[in-house]
Amino acid sequence: MDRRDLELFKNVFVDLDPLGTGQISIQQMWPYFKRNRIPDAKINLFMNTFDHDNDGYITLDEFCRVFSVSRAEVLGQTVTYETRSRVASGLPAGIKIAQLCIETLGSTSVLKDVPRNIKTSADRMFNNLWHIVMVNGQFWCYYGHEPGYSFVFSFEKYIFVVWKTPAM
């Protein structure tokens, strides 16, 4: 393992754990590695190197131990996201965003107004520059976002794509 592997695996860990739960699973890694054209051998290397208790999960602590790095070194800006995004209920911002989307979907009578109402609330609750896409069916997208501020989830027949544009 060298520094290039550290950078690769650091990016994988942060990308696969946007809510800061501190663990990722092998089930999360396969599609990610395929999508990013990372060789299968790297997944096996990843699991064999980091999953010491063979439970199918890699924790942030296991990851840090292997490279002898701190949590802050791995997470970089995500540490500030994790600290900043905790709300009074103790839930990360991603969960609050999902709740906001679901509540707004249920309380808005005109479907096309749902994304606008979510954005207005998200901007007020979590500062400006939020974008909301609500989809019914397949979709493809490509966008830039602030690290730790991109959420994609489904509820009933809708898919929500929510992200925050990086502050300039």
Side-chain angles (χ1 to χ4, degrees):
M1 289 264 190
D2 59 21
R3 286 314 252 189
R4 286 179 306 196
D5 287 326
L6 170 62
E7 287 305 311
L8 169 68
F9 292 150
K10 180 172 73 170
N11 290 335
V12 170
F13 198 98
V14 171
D15 286 350
L16 292 177
D17 188 28
L19 296 179
T21 63
Q23 74 176 17
I24 58 175
S25 70
I26 192 163
Q27 289 82 13
Q28 290 173 284
M29 283 186 271
W30 283 109
Y32 179 90
F33 275 60
K34 294 288 183 206
R35 188 173 51 250
N36 290 288
R37 293 184 173 88
I38 300 170
D40 290 351
K42 289 284 185 186
I43 291 181
N44 294 329
L45 175 64
F46 202 78
M47 290 308 292
N48 292 335
T49 302
F50 299 106
D51 187 19
H52 292 258
D53 56 5
N54 294 315
D55 65 353
Y57 292 91
I58 297 171
T59 67
L60 182 56
D61 291 331
E62 287 174 321
F63 184 90
C64 291
R65 233 184 335 269
V66 169
F67 282 109
S68 299
V69 295
S70 69
R71 294 171 67 94
E73 279 182 86
V74 173
L75 297 175
Q77 291 180 316
T78 309
V79 169
T80 57
Y81 151 73
E82 188 175 15
T83 305
R84 177 175 67 218
S85 67
R86 300 271 171 195
V87 292
S89 66
L91 298 174
I95 295 171
K96 292 298 284 184
I97 289 283
Q99 287 176 332
L100 175 63
C101 292
I102 292 166
E103 289 168 5
T104 305
L105 179 64
S107 66
T108 304
S109 58
V110 179
L111 210 50
K112 71 177 183 143
D113 292 339
V114 171
R116 183 191 66 218
N117 294 347
I118 294 169
K119 180 194 177 8
T120 301
S121 295
D123 284 349
R124 188 178 61 250
M125 292 170 65
F126 304 107
N127 298 322
N128 290 329
L129 300 176
W130 285 94
H131 308 279
I132 315 297
V133 176
M134 189 174 86
V135 181
N136 183 3
Q138 288 185 321
F139 74 97
W140 295 262
C141 61
Y142 182 84
Y143 57 92
H145 61 87
E146 194 166 323
Y149 287 95
S150 174
F151 314 101
V152 178
F153 68 95
S154 63
F155 178 74
E156 295 177 348
K157 63 181 181 179
Y158 301 102
I159 299 168
F160 291 88
V161 182
V162 182
W163 73 95
K164 184 174 183 178
T165 300
M168 300 290 169

